[in-house]
Amino acid sequence: MNNNNGLGLFKLTFFAIATTLASGVFSMTGDMARNGAGTFSVLVGWIIAGVGMYAMAMCFNRLSLIKPELTSGIYSYAKEGFGEYVGFNSAWGYWVSAILSQVSFATLLFAALGRFFPLFGNGNNVASIVGASVIVWLFTFLVMSGVQEAVTINVIIVIAKVIPILAFIIFAIFLGAFDLDIFTSNFYGEDTGLSTSEQVLRTTYTTVWIFTGIEGAVVISARAKNTATAGKATELSFIALFVLYALISVLSMGIMPRAQLAKLPDPSLAALMEYVVGPWGSTLINMGVIISIIGAMFAYTLVIADSVYAPAKDGAFPSFVTLENRKKAPVASLILSAAIIQLLLIVVYFQSSTYQTLYTLATSAIMIPFVLSALYCLKTTVQDNFIHSGKVTPKVWVISILGTVYGFWMLIATGIENVIISAFIFAPGFFVYLWSRLQVRRKLFETKGDIALFGIILAALVVAMLW
């Protein structure tokens, strides 16, 4: 399926980078150190994340090539592979995760601004909530003015946000800040009191969070020239981001010992930059944080809207969500998403919620849609192998299996309690699903598997409430 007026590879790649490269990159070194990961475990964690997330990205790439008619990404892969109720839950979980991510970005943005303007405090006071609300609605109306225009602006923002990160890498290398003795000291994290396997597990949440958004090109694939372009953009953006992340992580561990890194305030990269070049370096990184979060929020505005708009066109969500304006922007889903974000920002104020709390919930919610996409890739591989009498290439088998294994690894590594708590996110979706099914006059549950899934979600909800 071709759309000659759609987004090309260059813009889609930058879009996927924009949705991924946000706050996490500036805090990941400190986060891993605080979680108790030593140098060796961090390196192992990056190897696992690199192989696993690359396989996941290639699963998206493969599906975009062999299933070009599935233009709704994560939703359509889950629906096609495992049924309509599973597909709905994949879309619902992803949408809620993206909304929570947007709220977490807003909280961190004003916490970062608080370093320059004390008025904003830790990012969860009245001034911060008002400021975040203005930005959320401003971006909503900007995207309403035209998707192509919004993505073009996004390219400029990506370039601006990468400059401070490249500056850190260059200064760390050429000013001799990296010390091999520091890098190798306490290599196995003996001071943490944790086993190597426990340390590696504790790197997972950070690596998953900082790659959240890599699927952005797939989510808006209906707006691409074709779905293959979206798949290729996902692969290219992953490679570029992995190189950046790995360089920052390795260089940081050679500048300060783990125990010292663990004590750095967020964003830890700002403190490292100050250590390398002086106070102006911290200012540069903090400005980079602000630009990066603003860029991610801008790009996520469209991702959030499309993640519910595209399934709604297929009948998975109530029909009013499909309303467009004359610029072909999904106006109803944009306003609905912004309204929910606004409500959650108010909750943040009254509950004094933090960035870390919000991104923990967002990461828990997004893992299941990721796993379902990888499972569907594996399912198509098995089917193709039978249809074509064993002619599926070893590469396809490898990426399908590794992507699926990594998906389950993410679920296990983040803890069973977080998977169960995600029932608070998935259970309310049933009422939206019921609404949409009544609208199209379709049977509520098509299969026994749907009924079983509904039962599992309810059971998890009961356990989560008692827990």
Side-chain angles (χ1 to χ4, degrees):
M1 297 177 68
N2 291 312
N3 175 11
N4 293 330
N5 296 320
L7 300 170
L9 181 61
F10 177 78
K11 285 186 177 180
L12 273 178
T13 301
F14 270 73
F15 183 82
I17 290 173
T19 55
T20 311
L21 191 64
S23 54
V25 65
F26 298 97
S27 303
M28 63 179 184
T29 301
D31 285 347
M32 287 186 176
R34 280 188 290 274
N35 286 336
T39 307
F40 175 74
S41 299
V42 171
L43 294 176
V44 173
W46 275 116
I47 292 171
I48 293 172
V51 173
M53 283 305 300
Y54 180 71
M56 189 76 72
M58 290 303 294
C59 282
F60 286 128
N61 194 2
R62 167 174 161 74
L63 291 171
S64 72
L65 293 172
I66 65 172
K67 298 290 182 180
E69 71 279 7
L70 302 180
T71 58
S72 301
I74 283 175
Y75 158 72
S76 52
Y77 298 153
K79 177 197 169 187
E80 187 74 11
F82 310 105
E84 295 194 6
Y85 185 54
V86 174
F88 167 80
N89 276 287
S90 180
W92 174 264
Y94 185 84
W95 183 48
V96 174
S97 171
I99 284 174
L100 288 171
S101 296
Q102 191 79 314
V103 177
S104 73
F105 291 154
T107 304
L108 190 63
L109 171 61
F110 282 88
L113 284 170
R115 291 182 170 84
F116 298 99
F117 308 101
L119 169 70
F120 297 119
N122 293 323
N124 54 10
N125 59 13
V126 173
S128 299
I129 301 307
V130 171
S133 301
V134 170
I135 288 177
V136 166
W137 287 104
L138 173 63
F139 287 169
T140 297
F141 290 118
L142 278 173
V143 174
M144 283 184 194
S145 67
V147 173
Q148 282 279 3
E149 292 81 354
V151 175
T152 300
I153 294 171
N154 182 72
V155 172
I156 300 168
I157 295 175
V158 169
I159 294 170
K161 70 165 72 175
V162 167
I163 290 173
I165 297 172
L166 291 178
F168 169 78
I169 293 171
I170 292 168
F171 288 135
I173 294 173
F174 292 102
L175 294 183
F178 180 84
D179 187 326
L180 187 60
D181 290 336
I182 293 176
F183 183 78
T184 55
S185 66
N186 215 2
F187 192 71
Y188 295 103
E190 293 88 350
D191 66 327
T192 66
L194 301 170
S195 67
T196 300
S197 60
E198 288 175 314
Q199 292 177 48
V200 171
L201 282 172
R202 292 186 176 209
T203 67
T204 304
Y205 238 114
T206 303
T207 55
V208 171
W209 170 244
I210 61 176
F211 277 116
T212 298
I214 198 71
E215 73 295 332
V218 173
V219 173
I220 66 164
S221 60
R223 302 182 185 279
K225 288 187 181 296
N226 51 59
T227 54
T229 301
K232 189 65 176 176
T234 304
E235 179 186 0
L236 291 176
S237 59
F238 166 79
I239 293 170
L241 288 165
F242 181 75
V243 171
L244 273 182
Y245 292 164
L247 276 172
I248 292 169
S249 192
V250 169
L251 289 171
S252 298
M253 292 185 296
I255 295 173
M256 287 183 183
R258 187 208 65 80
Q260 198 171 342
L261 287 171
K263 295 177 182 178
L264 296 179
D266 281 330
S268 52
L269 195 64
L272 280 168
M273 188 69 154
E274 182 173 357
Y275 182 80
V276 174
V277 300
W280 70 268
S282 176
T283 301
L284 178 64
I285 294 298
N286 278 313
M287 289 176 63
V289 171
I290 293 168
I291 294 170
S292 292
I293 299 172
I294 289 173
M297 288 182 69
F298 186 44
Y300 248 73
T301 301
L302 178 57
V303 169
I304 292 169
D306 262 25
S307 66
V308 65
Y309 163 77
K313 290 186 74 173
D314 194 46
F317 283 80
S319 58
F320 80 89
V321 182
T322 63
L323 181 66
E324 294 179 332
N325 63 11
R326 57 186 181 84
K327 289 277 192 176
K328 298 296 182 182
V331 61
S333 59
L334 280 165
I335 293 174
L336 174 64
S337 299
I340 295 173
I341 292 168
Q342 177 68 77
L343 177 63
L344 289 175
L345 285 171
I346 295 170
V347 171
V348 165
Y349 169 69
F350 284 106
Q351 296 295 323
S352 298
S353 300
T354 64
Y355 160 71
Q356 284 83 3
T357 301
L358 291 164
Y359 94 60
T360 299
L361 287 170
T363 305
S364 299
I366 203 171
M367 286 186 188
I368 292 174
F370 271 23
V371 170
L372 289 170
S373 295
L375 275 171
Y376 181 53
C377 183
L378 180 60
K379 180 178 179 180
T380 60
T381 300
V382 173
Q383 289 172 336
D384 287 351
N385 187 63
F386 282 111
I387 293 170
H388 301 294
S389 303
K391 291 185 179 179
V392 174
T393 65
K395 179 182 177 181
V396 170
W397 276 112
V398 169
I399 65 169
S400 300
I401 294 171
L402 282 180
T404 303
V405 169
Y406 184 67
F408 282 105
W409 155 264
M410 290 191 295
L411 285 175
I412 294 168
T414 52
I416 187 64
E417 67 276 9
N418 289 314
V419 177
I420 293 174
I421 287 171
S422 68
F424 283 118
I425 291 171
F426 287 97
F430 170 76
F431 298 102
V432 178
Y433 179 73
L434 175 62
W435 181 2
S436 61
R437 299 299 281 185
L438 289 173
Q439 273 195 337
V440 296
R441 298 182 179 180
R442 297 280 298 276
K443 187 178 178 182
L444 184 59
F445 296 123
E446 300 282 351
T447 66
K448 291 180 180 178
D450 289 346
I451 298 173
L453 175 59
F454 178 63
I456 290 170
I457 293 173
L458 281 183
L461 178 63
V462 172
V463 172
M465 291 173 69
L466 292 174
W467 204 342

